[in-house]
Amino acid sequence: MANAPKPATVKKESSSSASNVFATLVIPICIVIGFVIWKYVLGDPSNFIDNNNENLPLPNNYPGTAYKGGPIVAVLIGLLLTTIVFSIERLIVIGKASGKSSLDTFIIKVKGLLNSGNIEAAKAECDKQQGSVANVIKSGLKKYSEVEADTNMDVEQSIVAIQKEVEEATALEMPMLEQNLTIIATLVSIGTLIGLLGTVTGMIRAFAGLANSGAPDQAALAVGISEALINTMTGISVSTLAIIMYNILTSKIDKLTYAIDEAGFSIVQTYASSHK
């Protein structure tokens, strides 16, 4: 019996490794794509005067203006893409963790079956639902059946065993849900800081234009200010998207955690009330 949980543990570790590989690949790929977009889309000669991207952008040409923000814009585009990719990946994972049908409906069904004492039907409902929440609840239900059949355990010991099983199952499932959230949280700060770096370099270029040959170079000044503002805007965009998605994802995970806690409490209460 002590070795029973190992297959599930191995499965979770395999999933974790796959997620780590995914994270390792996504970030550099997104940065490379960011440079490609910056160089060949924003820097397309048609966006500039005389079809030369070394000249000023055409009037009201936003891609050309963004290109003048410099290579830091490419990095920020890469970070923006990274935020989007990880957000979509987490939404998919959390969606699968919820199961096939509505989570609220599933919890109501399980609680109803528990109240009627139909443990096997509750297990079948978990098999039908699938997902992390159903897996945790099914683990608790299995332990319920085990302790009920064990005549050597009193009610108090059985309740503790069920609670422990639910906690252990939750501990196995939760890391999978929270994985890569730290990357999104980190992008909140990194986006702002890199945008600020671009702002500083742009202002340096602007002041260098003012100091050129003792007379202001309007073109150099314009390019410097453009670089500063474009980087600021892009950095803020990355951070804004990252913090919005982080809050959305954490709220979804909190909802799953609450559902697990609610079902776990129902399992324990059902056992306690039926074994007074």
Side-chain angles (χ1 to χ4, degrees), residues 46-205:
S46 63
N47 295 324
F48 302 88
I49 296 172
D50 297 332
N51 287 324
N52 185 347
N53 61 16
E54 293 185 2
N55 293 333
L56 292 175
L58 293 169
N60 299 320
N61 187 289
Y62 295 108
T65 303
Y67 177 78
K68 288 300 180 181
I72 291 179
V73 171
V75 176
L76 289 169
I77 291 172
L79 295 180
L80 185 63
L81 292 173
T82 302
T83 304
I84 293 170
V85 170
F86 277 114
S87 297
I88 293 172
E89 183 261 347
R90 284 295 90 193
L91 286 171
I92 292 171
V93 169
I94 293 171
K96 288 182 178 179
S98 299
K100 291 186 174 180
S101 62
S102 168
L103 185 60
D104 293 334
T105 304
F106 167 67
I107 294 298
I108 291 170
K109 284 182 180 179
V110 170
K111 288 175 71 175
L113 292 168
L114 286 171
N115 290 334
S116 63
N118 198 340
I119 304 301
E120 293 305 317
K123 290 180 186 177
E125 196 64 38
C126 291
D127 290 333
K128 191 189 302 181
Q129 176 73 5
Q130 298 183 1
S132 296
V133 176
N135 291 342
V136 173
I137 295 172
K138 187 176 180 181
S139 295
L141 293 172
K142 283 182 176 179
K143 181 57 69 173
Y144 184 111
S145 300
E146 289 175 12
V147 297
E148 194 170 41
D150 191 344
T151 56
N152 296 322
M153 298 178 69
D154 59 29
V155 175
E156 199 65 36
Q157 290 174 325
S158 298
I159 289 174
V160 171
I162 294 171
Q163 289 174 332
K164 185 178 179 182
E165 182 67 24
V166 172
E167 289 171 2
E168 289 178 353
T170 303
L172 279 175
E173 296 288 344
M174 291 309 295
M176 183 188 71
L177 299 178
E178 295 173 348
Q179 205 160 27
N180 296 334
L181 277 183
T182 52
I183 295 175
I184 297 175
T186 303
L187 288 170
V188 174
S189 300
I190 288 181
T192 303
L193 291 174
I194 293 181
L196 181 60
L197 176 63
T199 302
V200 172
T201 56
M203 294 308 296
I204 290 172
R205 184 176 297 186

Side-chain angles (χ1 to χ4, degrees), residues 32-44 67 74 77 81:
V32 170
I33 293 173
F35 271 95
V36 170
I37 292 172
W38 174 74
K39 181 70 176 177
Y40 297 104
V41 178
L42 303 183
D44 188 279
Y67 177 78
I77 291 172
L81 292 173

